[in-house]
Amino acid sequence: MKEKNQNRVVYTTGIGRVCPECGKPVEACICRKQPTHRPAGDGVVRIRRETKGRNGKGVTVITGVPLGESALQALGKELKARCGTGGTVKDGNIEIQGDHRDLLLTELTKRGWTVKKAGG
């Protein structure tokens, strides 16, 4: 178990908030600006429908897209416009509100990726 440093500075009036990892001001923090690398997948984009934790409302989740964060945001925006619904990009996954698996399957296949439906 990792021992927490009980004597660390969290806020100081001179510089404001301080990063708990590197001890520098949050604006100059170097540890949080490092890009997070997602593990390389198997090259297959998967589309599934989820309702868990959403009060029964379904969303279509797209995982395994081999793009960087900014390109993933742009793709999410295009797919939301194509489906005519809302959604978000979280943790390297694209979430589109509603069940649009068939439409998204054809759209992503047109872009040259290997796409599979996942789940039941």
Side-chain angles (χ1 to χ4, degrees):
M1 193 150 89
K2 192 174 183 181
E3 185 177 320
K4 289 186 177 183
N5 184 359
Q6 298 295 328
N7 298 325
R8 65 183 167 92
V9 176
V10 177
Y11 184 87
T12 178
T13 56
I15 55 175
R17 292 221 171 260
V18 178
C19 175
E21 300 294 323
C22 63
K24 295 186 179 193
V26 172
E27 293 82 26
C29 174
I30 56 171
C31 62
R32 294 186 191 238
K33 291 182 182 175
Q34 295 174 350
T36 57
H37 296 288
R38 289 180 290 168
D42 57 357
V44 177
V45 177
R46 289 185 169 77
I47 301 174
R48 70 180 187 273
R49 184 172 175 268
E50 277 187 7
T51 57
K52 187 175 182 180
R54 304 176 202 283
N55 293 331
K57 308 263 184 190
V59 296
T60 304
V61 181
I62 304 167
T63 59
V65 180
L67 295 175
E69 190 63 34
S70 60
L72 199 63
Q73 291 282 346
L75 177 63
K77 185 174 181 178
E78 291 175 23
L79 293 176
K80 289 187 295 185
R82 178 74 173 96
C83 294
T85 61
T88 187
V89 177
K90 286 185 188 173
D91 302 325
N93 299 330
I94 301 173
E95 297 180 1
I96 307 289
Q97 294 174 355
D99 186 6
H100 300 282
R101 289 177 290 184
D102 297 326
L103 176 65
L104 293 171
L105 182 84
T106 57
E107 189 68 29
L108 293 173
T109 304
K110 283 183 202 174
R111 295 173 187 254
W113 288 311
T114 304
V115 185
K116 289 184 178 180
K117 283 187 182 178

